[in-house]
Amino acid sequence: MKTTSPKPTHNRQTGFTLIEMIGVLAIMAVLAATITPNALRILEREAVRSETSTSRALGEQVKIFLKAKGWAPGLNPVIASRQSWDRDLSTFADISFTDILTNKRQMPRSYIYEPIASPKRVLILSSMRTGLTLPTAANLNTMVLFDNVWNTADGSVPPAGSSWAGWAAWRATLNGTAGDYLVIERVNLAPIYNTELQSLTVILNNRSTTPLSYNLVLADGTVQAAINILAPVPPATNRSISITTRPRERINLYRSAGGLNLDYSYIVPTGSSGRTFDFTTATNWVPLP
């Protein structure tokens, strides 16, 4: 029987034509134009959300610090300055200076107390947009300026007029979206002062002619050095010391004569507004009734 061999087949090589490639590129361009802005906005929102969480955590550390120390970061009664808040908080919370002073975008944070003698509120401000700076304490040096920022709604920038002039650059640069890049953390310390701490005035009357130095030390070891009675002290010299402490807290009165010697420990009773001590001719502290 006669058989015939099948005719050889020729494989046709497949590929994209120029027109097909142009179509694919056009579709990719449309998708990129649609997806990229949305992806960037999602990344921006996540960055702001992360910084909001970090600022809130810093605010909680400020409150914990106040409860533990009796004074807020940067308000150490020994140092008459509000510029050491970062060092106080860094040492206490075991956070690096860099992580306290700057955010993840390497933009500095502002930490601003209300401009009064005994502040109970603090602002932690953070800029999430490179090139847009924040006010400092010198820029918010009146209660009107401070309250303008404190009362600003989240997702907004302070209004024009009586607020810091620098906010105008935010509004001009971001054209209505400036608030998306401003993180404001408001830390209200008043409840802690009102319920957990109390102000106490200690009056130290020097009745001795012996030139020694005298220290009042809180239980956590904080020496009230800025308001010490320092040697030599003339007789009958009085010194009024105002401190903030917790009820049932211990304060110690030391006499320094070739060394630091504890003379008297005093436990602050609840509701006490103060106590007077005499440093007698016998060179020791005696509480007055």
Side-chain angles (χ1 to χ4, degrees):
M1 184 171 64
K2 185 177 181 180
T3 60
T4 58
S5 300
K7 294 181 179 180
T9 59
H10 300 283
N11 292 330
R12 179 176 177 269
Q13 293 183 346
T14 60
F16 290 111
T17 66
L18 179 60
I19 294 176
E20 288 172 331
M21 293 204 50
I22 292 174
V24 170
L25 291 174
I27 293 172
M28 291 177 64
V30 171
L31 289 175
T34 304
I35 294 173
T36 300
N38 290 333
L40 291 176
R41 279 194 291 270
I42 290 172
L43 291 174
E44 291 290 300
R45 284 197 296 269
E46 286 301 316
V48 172
R49 187 178 293 112
S50 175
E51 177 60 14
T52 300
S53 178
T54 299
S55 297
R56 186 175 298 115
L58 287 175
E60 289 302 313
Q61 286 296 324
V62 171
K63 294 177 182 179
I64 295 171
F65 185 103
L66 174 60
K67 293 177 182 179
K69 297 285 189 178
W71 44 272
L75 297 183
N76 189 333
V78 174
I79 305 172
S81 171
R82 299 182 182 182
Q83 304 306 312
S84 61
W85 72 275
D86 55 317
R87 295 189 177 276
D88 288 341
L89 206 56
S90 173
T91 302
F92 179 80
D94 196 21
I95 306 172
S96 71
F97 296 144
T98 301
D99 288 341
I100 288 178
L101 290 174
T102 59
N103 58 34
K104 296 296 184 182
R105 294 190 170 176
Q106 304 305 308
M107 293 291 291
R109 295 189 182 99
S110 282
Y111 184 95
I112 306 172
Y113 280 108
E114 57 183 334
I116 58 177
S118 300
K120 300 296 189 297
R121 297 181 298 166
V122 60
L123 287 166
I124 302 177
L125 306 178
S126 188
S127 171
M128 298 301 292
R129 181 67 175 253
T130 302
L132 290 176
T133 59
L134 294 167
T136 64
N139 301 129
L140 304 184
N141 57 0
T142 70
M143 288 300 292
V144 170
L145 292 170
F146 182 91
D147 284 338
N148 250 299
V149 181
W150 182 276
N151 296 325
T152 296
D154 292 334
S156 305
V157 293
S162 58
S163 61
W164 174 56
W167 295 124
W170 283 67
R171 286 188 289 272
T173 301
L174 298 176
N175 190 26
T177 63
D180 294 345
Y181 297 90
L182 175 65
V183 176
I184 304 176
E185 178 63 20
R186 305 161 188 84
V187 187
N188 186 4
L189 304 176
I192 298 174
Y193 281 106
N194 293 340
T195 61
E196 300 187 37
L197 299 171
Q198 65 187 63
S199 296
L200 182 73
T201 300
V202 178
I203 298 176
L204 305 179
N205 300 321
N206 180 36
R207 307 301 183 191
S208 171
T209 58
T210 305
L212 299 174
S213 61
Y214 318 109
N215 295 317
L216 184 149
V217 183
L218 301 184
D220 66 359
T222 302
V223 179
Q224 304 296 293
I227 43 182
N228 275 353
I229 299 178
L230 301 175
V233 180
T237 299
N238 300 340
R239 180 64 61 88
S240 177
I241 300 173
S242 296
I243 62 174
T244 302
T245 186
R246 290 174 295 275
R248 311 305 299 167
E249 183 65 277
R250 181 186 300 275
I251 60 174
N252 300 316
L253 296 174
Y254 285 86
R255 171 173 50 87
S256 181
L260 198 62
N261 303 311
L262 177 61
D263 277 340
Y264 192 86
S265 287
Y266 172 62
I267 296 179
V268 179
T270 302
S272 173
S273 60
R275 190 69 188 270
T276 299
F277 299 86
D278 272 4
F279 193 78
T280 69
T281 54
T283 63
N284 56 5
W285 289 105
V286 175
L288 298 184

